[in-house]
Amino acid sequence: MPTLRRLIQTPRFPYCAVFVIGCILFGGAVYLGEALGLAACPLCILQRMASLGLMIAAGIGIALAGSRTGSAIANLLMILTSATGAWIAGYQTYIQRVASDVQCSGEAAWWELFVDWAGEQAPLLFQASGLCSDPAWKLFGLSLAEYSLLIFSALTLYGIYLLLRQRA
């Protein structure tokens, strides 16, 4: 047990944990899409991209954990990407629960064009072919967007905690 405690207390541990969670978010979304035949919508793809951004921010934290400035930058990036992911997932949850007649497509916004471009570059990872209002699959009454909202929100709070702890 003392070895585990020492591992958890290392400066790189929080970033390693967030990196692993980001990998699970991204890999889980791709796996569930393929295994269950779920069609990802543009907002789902943006959430995947946010999890990639979270992994990059955590990677920066792993690399710069010994530096106070580097850790602060990594924490801010983690907060920014996880808050963005939470906002996207929250918007998709709103569409699925409240405004199911609202579609995230129609006249293509800039981000939808970006998702289309990314889907052309890496179809397995970023191909958007579903509707944002369709939860498609639920586990314990929650859609994937709702789980994503919970996880991204928790990671945002964790990033704020890390930043405040560092300042203290």
Side-chain angles (χ1 to χ4, degrees), residues 54-69:
L54 190 61
M55 290 167 27
I56 291 168
I60 292 169
I62 292 168
L64 303 176
S67 162
R68 188 169 175 85
T69 304

Side-chain angles (χ1 to χ4, degrees), residues 63-130:
L64 303 176
S67 162
R68 188 169 175 85
T69 304
S71 293
I73 290 169
N75 291 337
L76 288 171
L77 288 172
M78 286 185 344
I79 293 167
L80 179 67
T81 55
S82 58
T84 300
W87 188 90
I88 295 165
Y91 180 61
Q92 185 174 5
T93 297
Y94 167 75
I95 290 173
Q96 290 175 353
R97 291 223 174 222
V98 178
S100 58
D101 58 335
V102 173
Q103 296 299 318
C104 56
S105 54
E107 194 171 312
W110 68 268
W111 54 270
E112 287 183 285
L113 297 173
F114 177 67
V115 167
D116 290 341
W117 174 83
E120 291 170 3
Q121 306 309 307
L124 174 67
L125 304 177
F126 303 121
Q127 185 69 48
S129 58

Side-chain angles (χ1 to χ4, degrees), residues 7-8 10-27 48 50-62 71 73-83 151-163 165:
L7 174 68
I8 290 173
T10 64
R12 286 185 172 81
F13 178 78
Y15 304 110
C16 290
V18 171
F19 184 84
V20 168
I21 292 169
C23 289
I24 291 169
L25 279 172
F26 184 80
R48 288 182 191 182
S51 65
L52 282 175
L54 190 61
M55 290 167 27
I56 291 168
I60 292 169
I62 292 168
S71 293
I73 290 169
N75 291 337
L76 288 171
L77 288 172
M78 286 185 344
I79 293 167
L80 179 67
T81 55
S82 58
I151 294 168
F152 277 123
S153 296
L155 289 171
T156 302
L157 293 174
Y158 186 58
I160 292 169
Y161 164 76
L162 291 174
L163 188 63
R165 185 182 77 172

